[in-house]
Amino acid sequence: MNVSPGPSSPQSKLVDTHGRSITYLRLSITDRCNLRCRYCMPEEGVQFLDHSEILSYQELLRISRIFVGFGVNKIRITGGEPFVRRDCVDFMQALMEQTAHLDLRVTTNGIALSPHLGRLKEMGLGGINLSLDTLDPLRFSQITRRDGLTKVLAVFHQILSLGIPLKVNTVVMEDTSDEELRQMAALTEDNPIQLRFIELMPFSGKESGEIKKALSLEDRLVRLFPELTEISSAQIETARKFSLPGYRGNLGLIEGESRKFCAHCNKVRITSCGMLKNCLYDSGVLDLRALLRNGADDVEVAERIQQAVLGKLKDGHVTAELQDKICEDSMATIGG
């Protein structure tokens, strides 16, 4: 993939009205996925976007360059499932070549990852977040509505063997058993990974009776693992981290529905169709695809981004309350 450097945007930092600097961009490159996780989309799936509605790789590279000009130094590639889009690794390589010292990471379910791992290692990928909710094959097929646990576990070990930094994301659902939590946590005993338990979230951010059950997740983990010790960190992180005596890895807790990390949020998202989102729970604050395709130059795009980010709201609770839509069709449409 040949990429010309293009003009740089003469911007300062991206800072919102609450004083939070944006240094982290989540970039969705597709709304398509090879699983049908029951907490993410309906069993029949969703209406996927036409290819013409998805940002091209050239458009994604251009947007990324503008954000890097603002001081963004970490980009996470998401989907849907990124590796279902053809030439996605070529795109990641182009991103790395476009920006020196970029911290590039990817979130994936691992199903189609294996053939690309060697190249990702060579290009210096900063880390992989692997989605895995259970170690039981039947339960895996019930959650994802597909078979594939064997592939995911093989990829898990392949990532470790290559020395690529690995985090495992585990969504804790209303019917996730204590035994499943213990089994997932056990992955950190002999492996240098972070196993992150994630509160179940509704697509729209509105609370429901089912979601409220997940709010006691911290208490549940403390009950199951009484020797948990919280690890302090000077970095801005979505997950609170905990250690267990004698374990090589650590546990993480992402309180997405509680939204306890909003005060230090340093990220924005771009959906696969080019909608800039200041928050997981907003409906989009700037249509970048329209700007690019209507001929805006980099300076205009940068100014519009700066204006949009300035309006980032205090937290996810405030954002969700202002949304008219009750439910997104799928988390895959917004890049997680």
Side-chain angles (χ1 to χ4, degrees):
M1 182 179 294
N2 296 319
V3 184
S4 59
S8 300
S9 305
Q11 323 96 327
S12 56
K13 301 292 184 182
L14 272 181
V15 182
D16 67 20
T17 54
H18 303 283
R20 296 169 297 197
S21 294
I22 304 303
T23 59
Y24 176 14
L25 176 66
R26 291 181 64 100
L27 196 62
S28 173
I29 64 171
T30 181
D31 64 333
R32 297 174 187 268
C33 189
N34 45 14
L35 297 180
R36 294 292 182 270
C37 295
R38 71 187 200 200
Y39 53 76
C40 180
M41 67 174 71
E43 185 170 3
E44 65 275 14
V46 296
Q47 183 65 46
F48 292 118
L49 295 168
D50 185 80
H51 186 70
S52 64
E53 299 178 88
I54 300 291
L55 289 178
S56 70
Y57 286 138
Q58 293 293 334
E59 289 169 330
L60 289 163
L61 287 166
R62 182 182 172 194
I63 289 171
S64 299
R65 186 177 68 246
I66 292 171
F67 271 91
V68 167
F70 277 121
V72 166
N73 54 28
K74 178 179 178 180
I75 296 179
R76 178 173 298 281
I77 304 302
T78 70
E81 167 51 39
F83 294 97
V84 302
R85 182 167 178 180
R86 184 179 301 174
D87 299 327
C88 69
V89 180
D90 289 341
F91 165 66
M92 293 181 208
Q93 180 78 55
L95 264 181
M96 297 286 282
E97 292 173 354
Q98 176 175 271
T99 304
H101 310 299
L102 177 67
D103 183 2
L104 183 65
R105 307 193 177 210
V106 65
T107 293
T108 173
N109 60 35
I111 297 292
L113 176 59
S114 181
H116 307 293
L117 277 172
R119 188 174 171 196
L120 292 171
K121 170 68 175 179
E122 289 176 3
M123 73 172 64
L125 187 74
I128 293 173
N129 283 16
L130 183 66
S131 299
L132 178 61
D133 301 322
T134 182
L135 298 179
D136 178 79
L138 178 59
R139 173 90 165 140
F140 182 93
S141 64
Q142 291 172 341
I143 294 171
T144 67
R145 304 189 181 101
R146 299 288 188 273
D147 294 324
L149 180 60
T150 301
K151 287 183 179 180
V152 178
L153 291 179
V155 157
F156 171 88
H157 292 292
Q158 191 178 355
I159 295 169
L160 289 175
S161 69
L162 289 170
I164 301 174
L166 174 62
K167 296 177 181 178
V168 175
N169 291 339
T170 299
V171 175
V172 180
M173 291 157 281
E174 70 282 359
D175 58 348
T176 300
S177 68
D178 286 353
E179 181 57 27
E180 282 182 293
L181 296 182
R182 291 191 185 95
Q183 289 175 353
M184 295 305 300
L187 290 174
T188 67
E189 185 170 4
D190 298 318
N191 300 302
I193 66 170
Q194 183 180 129
L195 192 290
R196 312 197 304 174
F197 292 115
I198 303 175
E199 283 182 345
L200 182 64
M201 292 180 285
F203 305 147
S204 67
K206 310 286 187 180
E207 287 190 2
S208 68
E210 178 178 290
I211 300 307
K212 290 178 181 177
K213 294 178 183 178
L215 298 183
S216 61
L217 180 54
E218 180 182 0
D219 290 339
R220 189 176 177 190
L221 293 178
V222 170
R223 173 175 59 82
L224 292 173
F225 311 105
E227 294 182 298
L228 272 182
T229 301
E230 187 158 5
I231 305 169
S232 61
S233 175
Q235 297 179 327
I236 298 174
E237 296 188 80
T238 302
R240 295 168 59 194
K241 295 190 295 186
F242 300 85
S243 63
L244 281 170
Y247 280 53
R248 291 188 65 192
N250 58 66
L251 300 183
L253 173 60
I254 299 181
E255 299 164 297
E257 180 57 18
S258 302
R259 284 160 259 191
K260 293 183 179 179
F261 46 77
C262 293
H264 305 289
C265 182
N266 66 333
K267 76 182 74 168
V268 293
R269 293 168 167 81
I270 296 176
T271 69
S272 56
C273 63
M275 186 62 68
L276 174 64
K277 292 172 66 71
N278 279 332
C279 177
L280 182 65
Y281 300 104
D282 71 37
S283 300
V285 295
L286 179 63
D287 187 343
L288 289 166
R289 183 184 67 191
L291 269 180
L292 267 57
R293 296 184 183 181
N294 288 331
D297 62 21
D298 283 8
V299 172
E300 180 182 354
V301 174
E303 289 174 349
R304 294 289 299 276
I305 289 172
Q306 202 161 28
Q307 293 167 6
V309 170
L310 193 64
K312 187 176 172 76
L313 296 174
K314 178 181 177 182
D315 58 40
H317 291 294
V318 174
T319 305
E321 287 303 315
L322 294 176
Q323 305 311 304
D324 296 327
K325 195 171 184 181
I326 296 175
C327 183
E328 298 284 352
D329 295 327
S330 167
M331 282 288 281
T333 66
I334 57 177

